Structure formats: C-alpha cells, structure tokens
Amino acid sequence: MKNTISIFVFVCVCATLFAQEEEKTWYDPGALRLDLILAGNHLQTNVFLHELNHEPYWSGSAHSMIDQLGFGSFRVEVFGMETGDLLFSNGFSTLFQEWQTTAEAKRTSRAFDQVVRIPFPREKVRVEIFERERDGSLARAAAFEVDPESIFIKRNHFIPYPVTKIIEGGAPSDCLDLTFIAEGYLPHQMERFRQDVREMAEYIMEQEPFNQWKDRINIWAVESPSEEEGPSNPGRAFHNRTPAGTTYYSLGLDRYLTTSRHGKLMDAAANAPGDVICVLVNTEQYGGGGIYNAHVVGTAGHPLSKVVFIHELGHGLAGLGDEYFESDVAYEEFYPLDVEPWEANLTTLVDFDDKWGEMLESDTPVPTPAEDRYLETVGVYEGGGYAAKGVYRPYIHCRMRSNNAPGFCPVCRETLSRVMRTYIPAGK
C-alpha cells in the first residue's frame, strides 16, 4: 500500500512539474524590450522597430499571458514562429495616440518613442503591433521577427541605480509591483525621495480597492539622481536634464506633466521589477499624467499630489478614462459618439451592455439625472471623456472626475480589482 501511495505521489509531482515546464517552455527569465518609434499625424500611424534590449526582470503577469481585458489604444501579440500559436498579448496606450487627437496633429507630423516589453523568448517569435482605429477595431500596424540569439539585442544595457524595497508583499510573480523612479531629485536628496515614496505608498494602501490587496503589493524605489532639480517646464524656460525627461506643457497643457522619452524612462525602470512604472517628480507645482501600461507621473510637493497621483494610477494601471468635461484639454473629439469607448468607466451607450449595466438597480433610469438623490447611486450620468454631451460616466463624483471626490466609484474600484487579479494568482 505504501509503495502504491509513493508511486501515486511521484506521478502527481512529476505531472505538476511537467505542466509547469510546459507552461514556461517558450520564455526565459527576464524581458525583451522593444523600443519603437511611432510617427504620423491625425490620419496616419507608422510603427518602426528602433532597437531591442534584454532586461533582467519580466515585470508583467507570470500566470496570465493572454490578455482578457481588451483595454488600450494599441495591442502587442507574440506568436511562435514554428507553430503560429499566440503566446502572449497585452494592451497599452501611448502619448502619440493622445497627440493624434490634437489640433497640431492636423497641421504636421511628429514622432514619439514607445517601449513595449514582453517575456524573453527562447525561440524565434513574430511580434505584431495593432492600433485601435477610430471605429474601435484593431488593425495591424507592424510586424517584426525576433531572434533571441541576435547579436543586436543589447544585454542589460542600462545605468545601474540603487533600489530600495519600500513595501514587501511577496514574490514579484505573485504580486502587483509598483516601481517609483526618482525624477528631479539631486544626488544628496535620495533620502527625501525614499520618504516621499513611503508617504505615497501609505496613501495608496489606504485607498479602495488597494487596501484590500495590501499583502499582495510590492513597492520599489529606484534612486536615479538628476543633474538638475525638478522637471522641465517650457513655460518657465526650464529644460532640465533628468532620468525620465518629464516636462510640463505636454501636448501644450501647462498642468500635463509626463514624458515623451519613454525609452529613457524605461532605462531607469529596468533596475527593478515593475508592473506599473511610476515617476515621482520633485516639484511643488501641480500636475501629473498617466498612460495605460506605459507610465504614471506624479509630483511630491503639492498639497494635492497624493489625490492627483491616485487618479493617474487609475489611468496607468487600469486604463480608466477621465470623467471630467469642464476643464480645458488639448484633444478634439477624443471619443467618437458613434463608437463605444474601450475604457471600462465610460460609455456612449452604443454598446452599454458590455459596461456596468449589471451594477445598476432595476429602478435607476438610463440616462440618470445628476441629482442629489442619486449621489451614491451607480447610474449613467451624461458628461465625461472631455465631452459634456454624448459621453456618460457611472457616478456623479468619482476620483476619475474630481480631486474633491472621496475616492473611486464602485465601477472604477471593480475595474482596478479586475486588473490586479491578472497579476495575482488565484488563491493568493
């Protein structure tokens, strides 16, 4: 009987190990970084492969390789060269696509750099990049064959910076990893940077739904010093040399603080695991920015820094759309009213059944009037996505609309949790 049990256990262990090996046969530890150039105008998109880099950490989900969310204005898909099987997919957004909706894009063409990271393949793969068209469909914009043995892949080609783990949640493969990059901090200000990250981390962990995942979030601080203090600000004639190249007046908006130097930012981010790359900027001026699966930029010194950062984290982590419509923006008709937005918290009612309809009470009218009696009711409120008419949001006051809101609305909280579950294995 003992021998039978031993054989059964041995077979089960072997089967488990074999399954785990099968699951990982196509990739090795680390990441393959594709540095792209996106160029064009409001009607045209060109995607070019600039260079390839090997990085020590694969910073995405280790257990969910095929994207089920469908978020993002772009998408990357990886196929086995021999089998043609889909091995990996993920959505992402870009500053280039935002720029395409501005008036400038109708007058001229520009180029932006963009980084896409995938697990490092063991064999040759085909990488395809898809762009979301104005009608909501995805069209292939580029395709590349990648040989992991190529001599042209740069190996660990980045500046090493000290890294401090601010919050310990567990192994990166089982956690959501937020990696903060020091931006605009001088070499002697690294202790202040670490303290600023600690304070931001404490605030994040207090907010719903992040407070429900405290034991499965890692927060890292990459101590990357700048040559000059603070970010660039063209409005004040400041053009500072910093690791991430952040600047105010992105797309011409004084408060839009982000970077078009994505490759430069990701050089610093390569020092630590990071599912979401967060840039903490040493400035007292108001501002920030967040782009889905690209980066989150926030400031450390303004009274509203924390609430602005958590709003931008909604963009960067879960692709949540802006729900405000009263503020000046650079975009023109960002959301076509005859197309359903891909963002989970916005709708044009073209295909509302795929949004938050199941969260509505049966007696909630659609559209829902923005009246006091509905202040704490999930509904369908007109105004959102930079448009007062034709675009609808799920709550009267939400963090994605206002700095004065108490937090994320139920729809945004559920979307954030849904995304976090893609990084955290079931049962963890």
Side-chain angles (χ1 to χ4, degrees):
M1 183 68 176
K2 289 182 180 179
N3 289 339
T4 302
I5 294 174
S6 298
I7 293 171
F8 175 77
V9 171
F10 175 78
V11 170
C12 289
V13 170
C14 289
T16 300
L17 292 175
F18 179 76
Q20 291 175 346
E21 183 63 25
E22 281 293 293
E23 184 182 23
K24 298 185 178 181
T25 50
W26 75 272
Y27 68 94
D28 281 327
L32 178 64
R33 189 179 110 186
L34 292 83
D35 286 36
L36 308 176
I37 301 295
L38 306 183
N41 51 42
H42 77 295
L43 293 176
Q44 185 179 19
T45 298
N46 296 295
V47 180
F48 305 100
L49 178 62
H50 177 54
E51 64 182 26
L52 299 170
N53 285 272
H54 176 267
E55 294 185 349
Y57 306 105
W58 163 237
S59 303
S61 173
H63 65 281
S64 180
M65 290 290 177
I66 308 300
D67 175 57
Q68 302 296 326
L69 298 169
F71 298 163
S73 55
F74 284 80
R75 182 177 179 85
V76 58
E77 296 186 351
V78 180
F79 298 88
M81 286 290 292
E82 293 186 3
T83 65
D85 293 341
L86 177 63
L87 304 175
F88 174 83
S89 63
N90 203 16
F92 63 98
S93 293
T94 70
L95 187 62
F96 171 76
Q97 183 271 335
E98 292 184 15
W99 172 80
Q100 285 182 300
T101 67
T102 67
E104 183 187 40
K106 294 180 179 179
R107 302 190 304 266
T108 188
S109 296
R110 285 185 59 185
F112 292 69
D113 69 330
Q114 179 72 35
V115 167
V116 175
R117 293 192 290 188
I118 65 172
F120 197 89
R122 291 183 177 177
E123 306 291 341
K124 293 180 181 179
V125 294
R126 185 176 79 257
V127 179
E128 298 187 359
I129 305 295
F130 294 82
E131 178 194 18
R132 195 176 296 276
E133 302 285 299
R134 291 291 281 175
D135 65 1
S137 64
L138 289 166
R140 193 171 74 169
F144 319 107
E145 293 184 5
V146 177
D147 181 356
E149 301 297 326
S150 171
I151 62 173
F152 298 107
I153 297 177
K154 296 182 178 179
R155 311 280 170 170
N156 298 325
H157 185 73
F158 57 89
I159 300 174
Y161 295 122
V163 176
T164 299
K165 199 169 191 179
I166 302 297
I167 289 183
E168 170 71 63
S173 60
D174 295 338
C175 294
L176 174 71
D177 290 86
L178 306 181
T179 297
F180 283 81
I181 309 300
E183 177 76 342
Y185 289 84
L186 299 176
H188 68 275
Q189 296 175 322
M190 286 301 112
E191 176 52 40
R192 196 174 94 196
F193 165 66
R194 290 189 293 269
Q195 183 58 33
D196 289 343
V197 175
R198 289 188 191 98
E199 292 178 6
M200 190 67 78
E202 291 171 0
Y203 177 79
I204 294 170
M205 294 301 191
E206 293 171 354
Q207 308 304 304
E208 291 191 66
F210 301 100
N211 58 358
Q212 302 172 28
W213 303 83
K214 286 184 177 180
D215 61 343
R216 281 295 174 262
I217 296 178
N218 293 323
I219 294 186
W220 309 79
V222 177
E223 299 164 23
S224 46
S226 296
E227 295 181 48
E228 296 169 296
E229 189 171 7
S232 294
N233 188 330
R236 299 181 181 180
F238 296 156
H239 298 278
N240 291 350
R241 292 183 293 274
T242 59
T246 59
T247 179
Y248 285 99
Y249 285 90
S250 295
L251 306 186
L253 292 175
D254 59 350
R255 69 180 185 279
Y256 196 8
L257 174 63
T258 186
T259 179
S260 61
R261 305 292 304 279
H262 200 203
K264 187 176 181 181
L265 163 61
M266 300 308 285
D267 283 343
N271 284 273
D275 298 314
V276 182
I277 307 305
C278 306
V279 185
L280 194 59
V281 186
N282 181 20
T283 178
E284 296 179 354
Q285 186 177 346
Y286 180 88
I291 300 177
Y292 177 57
N293 272 348
H295 57 259
V296 176
V297 180
T299 65
H302 191 274
L304 293 175
S305 285
K306 293 182 175 64
V307 294
V308 171
F309 183 86
I310 205 80
H311 168 97
E312 304 301 349
L313 185 58
H315 290 311
L317 172 60
L320 296 174
D322 282 319
E323 296 180 10
Y324 55 81
F325 51 91
E326 306 94 339
S327 302
D328 291 335
V329 295
Y331 315 122
E332 297 183 352
E333 299 179 355
F334 196 88
Y335 294 101
L337 300 186
D338 59 347
V339 176
E340 186 65 27
W342 60 262
E343 291 88 342
N345 63 323
L346 295 175
T347 182
T348 54
L349 298 181
V350 171
D351 189 14
F352 180 62
D353 291 343
D354 287 341
K355 291 302 175 71
W356 61 89
E358 293 183 354
M359 299 180 69
L360 267 61
E361 298 290 341
S362 59
D363 60 348
T364 301
V366 178
T368 314
E371 300 172 355
D372 287 349
R373 58 182 170 144
Y374 293 116
L375 276 177
E376 297 183 3
T377 300
V378 174
V380 184
Y381 302 93
E382 191 165 27
Y386 325 117
K389 298 291 183 181
V391 181
Y392 300 81
R393 65 190 190 279
Y395 221 62
I396 293 179
H397 296 298
C398 172
R399 176 65 66 232
M400 296 312 297
R401 182 187 177 193
S402 168
N403 290 330
N404 297 320
F408 290 109
C409 74
V411 171
C412 291
R413 292 200 300 268
E414 173 54 33
T415 303
L416 285 160
S417 291
R418 181 183 169 198
V419 172
M420 283 189 281
R421 284 192 286 269
T422 68
Y423 293 103
I424 300 169
K428 292 293 185 177

